Amino acid sequence: MKIVEFLKYKQKRTNLIIWFLIAAIGIVVIWGFKHGSNPLHMNVSDNIQQIDLDTIYLKGSGVEVNFSEVILSDHNEMRKLIVSTQQGTVSTELTDRLIKQLDFDFLKKTQTVSYTGTGYFVVDLDNLTSANVIEDKEKKTITILIDHAYLQAIEIDPNSIIIDEVKEGLLARGDIELTVRDYNVIAKELRTRLEEKFNTAANGQEADDLALKMVKEVYEPIVKAIDRRYDVSVQFK
């Protein structure tokens, strides 16, 4: 009888211990949910704050970035940004008179030569200096001062040079004979006329408008990569 009572007492004590452990585990779990830390956001003693798995913010590091140094890096390289292209065609009429003093159609033959070219408006970025990069820390802006766009080059497509057939007069027959010097004079004249055709106030204004937009597109991602709070403004000197 005593043995049976002893076994019942031992079983009862074991059950109490089990219920106590379950209650303790439950309390620990509840406390952990209420006071647990976010694994993606933690503060450590070395002033490094983990924002997420890929971002670390150095709190109060005292590090300052010189925007002008970043923007002007490799400034010794020649950098010209093409902001606008223009295409056009010009032509000239060559005339060969049988008798130079007489301007009659039946005594002359004519031939038209046409040139098609492309004009390139550019902005120089290689002459930027630190004085052209202005930082406003309060407004969080970087202002870049650039020169106006200008017509830098004209490219003649040799495949687009058109020489028409000779128009003969009644008494003026055959081809128009041209020397190398004649061809050089013609090429120089047509290139000059292409330059005049491209280098107009309207084309210059269009190139300037595009320059402001395109220079901003070049440098704003660089600035944003350093500090995304900053905006970039581009102005002419």
Side-chain angles (χ1 to χ4, degrees), residues 93-184:
E93 187 177 79
L94 309 178
T95 302
D96 187 13
R97 297 188 184 92
L98 188 61
I99 302 175
K100 296 187 182 299
Q101 292 78 9
L102 300 177
D103 187 16
F104 296 108
D105 290 343
F106 66 89
L107 291 176
K108 66 182 179 182
K109 47 190 173 181
T110 60
Q111 187 175 32
T112 300
V113 178
S114 300
Y115 272 34
T116 297
T118 303
Y120 296 92
F121 284 84
V122 303
V123 169
D124 286 328
L125 300 179
D126 55 335
N127 60 1
L128 289 177
T129 66
S130 57
N132 305 133
V133 181
I134 303 170
E135 178 184 359
D136 189 327
K137 293 184 178 180
E138 292 185 0
K139 296 182 179 179
K140 300 297 182 186
T141 60
I142 300 295
T143 301
I144 302 175
L145 303 178
I146 62 172
D147 292 318
H148 286 273
Y150 65 94
L151 181 64
Q152 191 233 5
I154 295 176
E155 182 180 280
I156 305 295
D157 182 2
N159 297 321
S160 66
I161 298 176
I162 299 175
I163 302 176
D164 292 341
E165 296 290 332
V166 176
K167 295 180 180 180
E168 300 175 329
L170 182 62
L171 300 178
R173 300 291 180 176
D175 294 332
I176 296 178
E177 301 294 335
L178 296 174
T179 64
V180 173
R181 181 177 177 277
D182 294 330
Y183 280 113
N184 290 337

Side-chain angles (χ1 to χ4, degrees), residues 84 121 148-149 198 200-212 236:
S84 177
F121 284 84
H148 286 273
F198 295 144
T200 63
N203 287 342
Q205 183 61 56
E206 179 184 353
D208 272 349
D209 293 341
L210 289 170
L212 296 176
F236 292 114

Side-chain angles (χ1 to χ4, degrees), residues 49-108:
Q49 182 180 2
Q50 187 76 35
I51 305 299
D52 54 42
L53 294 178
D54 300 314
T55 305
I56 293 178
Y57 170 62
L58 301 180
K59 184 177 181 181
S61 65
V63 177
E64 291 187 3
V65 177
N66 189 321
F67 285 97
S68 63
E69 288 183 359
V70 176
I71 290 174
L72 300 175
S73 61
D74 300 327
H75 72 281
N76 291 326
E77 298 179 4
M78 289 294 292
R79 293 178 297 176
K80 296 183 185 295
L81 179 64
I82 298 175
V83 297
S84 177
T85 59
Q86 300 287 335
Q87 286 191 327
T89 300
V90 292
S91 60
T92 187
E93 187 177 79
L94 309 178
T95 302
D96 187 13
R97 297 188 184 92
L98 188 61
I99 302 175
K100 296 187 182 299
Q101 292 78 9
L102 300 177
D103 187 16
F104 296 108
D105 290 343
F106 66 89
L107 291 176
K108 66 182 179 182

